[in-house]
Amino acid sequence: MNPHHPHHPSTDDAQPLLRPTSIGELRLPNRVVMAPLTRARATNPERVPTELHAAYYGQRAAAGLIVGEGVWVGEQAIGFGGVPGLHTERQVAAWRQVTGLVHALGGRIVAQLWHTGAVSHPDHLGGALPAGPSAVNPQETVHTPYGRQGTVTPRAMTGADIERTIEAYAAAAGNARRAGFDGVEIAANGIYLLAQFLNRRLNRRTDRYGADPTRLPLDVVDAVSAAWSARRVGVRLSPYWTAADRPPSAPPCGAYPYTADARTLADHDALVAELGRHRIGYLHLRGRAPGAGGRAHAAWFAEFARYRRLFDGPLIANHGFDRAGGNAIIEAGIADAVSFGRPFIANPDLVSRFALGHEMAASDRATHYGGGERGYVDYPVWAGAETGSETWPGPGRG
Ligand SMILES: Cc1cc2nc3c(=O)[nH]c(=O)nc-3n(C[C@H](O)[C@H](O)[C@H](O)COP(=O)(O)O)c2cc1C
């Protein structure tokens, strides 16, 4: 058997994605990370994960690390239907079933802590206004219980609101620990609360949370670290988040969608450098999609490399990677691991497919954000070339 033939890999010359590594206190058997994916299957009034969630994550337990779907840190955080929480005892008990199964199957899973802030909607909050950094309408289109609607002008958070929010993150981290998670990832990406503070169009505060837009994300990191351990804390950022880079499956943008500019990038740089000094477990970077704006491959990697220089801890790269791109960015020393979102939806056995060089199946967008077991736990593992493995449509098109 030729050890260099892609279909007969040996462990000595394992492709970079299959080499073990450490992230914070976690030892990962491979560098294929499952990206956080909201799948909107917790459609029960208590917002608890179910047996379906356990089956879904169990099917994907061979990942080096699973970053679970975004979970609510409190009632005020809610802004999307079918998303489970991590702020009630029922939710903690239900998550224990999920983490227990993932561990029994040899996997690791962290909880992604999510707060929608100004892009929630009164229809999610019993008629109350959402709260954000300032009373500025984000002008986004968001999912509500009554379909997609425009966001409203939120109420500016008071100092007391901010204190309660930081406490909610700390409490959720304690809950994650009790629920058997291996750590937490603080979502400071996309268009949600912490990213709103990092956006000067939305953050017009005159207090210290406005004077320094990195203040709230850092206060949250400190509170969550105190509740557990900084090495169990990851932070997810999307510094380049711009409407034009949205995947086609995302809801359409409003009139004034997020745009990365020199200031948001500089604020992110300052935050990243500070996160390095805080010795967090890892930084999870959602970059721009490959080829976005007609960029060449080298320019795509250069964006990640900037953050590699600013942050000396473990770095997980994301967005539009395939097996070749993932191996290349690790081999180049720019990332320690790579996370895969859409590929993990359709390929529960993604690690094996990478190991064996098999084709990837494409995910069905119609069941990304709902559909019960369909499109959730029924994607088959590879079962031979004769079964007609579909071809993945490629980065940015799923
Ligand atoms: C259905 C779906 C749900 C997602 N949910 C989340 C989420 O809960 N939290 C988050 O930070 N990113 C979320 N994302 C973004 C993914 O984590 C990832 O950044 C994106 O899919 C790009 O990676 P990929 O090219 O490997 O799919 C979601 C993406 C999709 C397609």
Side-chain angles (χ1 to χ4, degrees), residues 194-255:
L194 300 178
Q196 289 157 19
F197 273 80
L198 286 163
N199 184 301
R200 291 175 192 252
R201 182 173 67 79
L202 300 179
N203 182 353
R204 304 200 182 157
R205 303 180 69 89
T206 52
D207 63 3
R208 65 198 197 101
Y209 292 99
D212 178 3
T214 69
R215 189 68 263 152
L216 183 60
L218 289 170
D219 279 2
V220 168
V221 167
D222 287 341
V224 166
S225 301
W228 197 341
S229 149
R231 292 179 41 87
R232 297 275 179 175
V233 177
V235 174
R236 189 166 214 229
L237 296 174
S238 54
Y240 293 101
W241 181 269
T242 287
D245 284 338
R246 290 179 165 216
S249 55
C253 301

Side-chain angles (χ1 to χ4, degrees), residues 77-92:
I78 295 170
F80 202 102
V83 171
L86 193 49
H87 54 94
T88 70
E89 285 308 309
R90 293 290 295 264
Q91 290 162 348
V92 170

